[in-house]
Amino acid sequence: IIAGINATLVPCLIGSFYFRLKRNAVFLSIFTGLISVVLLFAFGTATPETAVISFPVSIVFLIIGQLLFRRKKITPVISFSSF
């Protein structure tokens, strides 16, 4: 279980050195990684080899979260109708 949790945290830790990560994307990545570890234990397939599956799950959901929670730049619109 410890290896699965560590593998869940690694993409966020390494990614934070190179990119400005969105808070919601990091939460989504860690949450889905932990869910994958819990599912491994729930189905009884937890071995050291399968505990590493949380690593690619976290990477995929970190990328999806970064794209999903991307802030849209709002440009101010000046209305000249009031002049």
Side-chain angles (χ1 to χ4, degrees), residues 1-5 7-8 36-37 40-41 44-57:
I1 192 164
I2 300 296
I5 293 172
T8 297
S36 68
V37 171
L40 284 174
F41 280 98
T45 59
T47 63
E49 292 83 17
T50 59
V52 185
I53 194 68
S54 63
F55 181 73
V57 169

Side-chain angles (χ1 to χ4, degrees), residues 5-28:
I5 293 172
N6 286 339
T8 297
L9 297 175
V10 168
C12 296
L13 292 174
I14 293 175
S16 68
F17 289 123
Y18 297 103
F19 304 104
R20 185 174 177 94
L21 299 177
K22 309 286 188 290
R23 183 180 298 172
N24 291 337
V26 171
F27 175 76
L28 180 68

Side-chain angles (χ1 to χ4, degrees), residues 29-49:
S29 172
I30 293 173
F31 182 73
T32 54
L34 292 176
I35 292 296
S36 68
V37 171
V38 168
L39 288 175
L40 284 174
F41 280 98
F43 289 116
T45 59
T47 63
E49 292 83 17

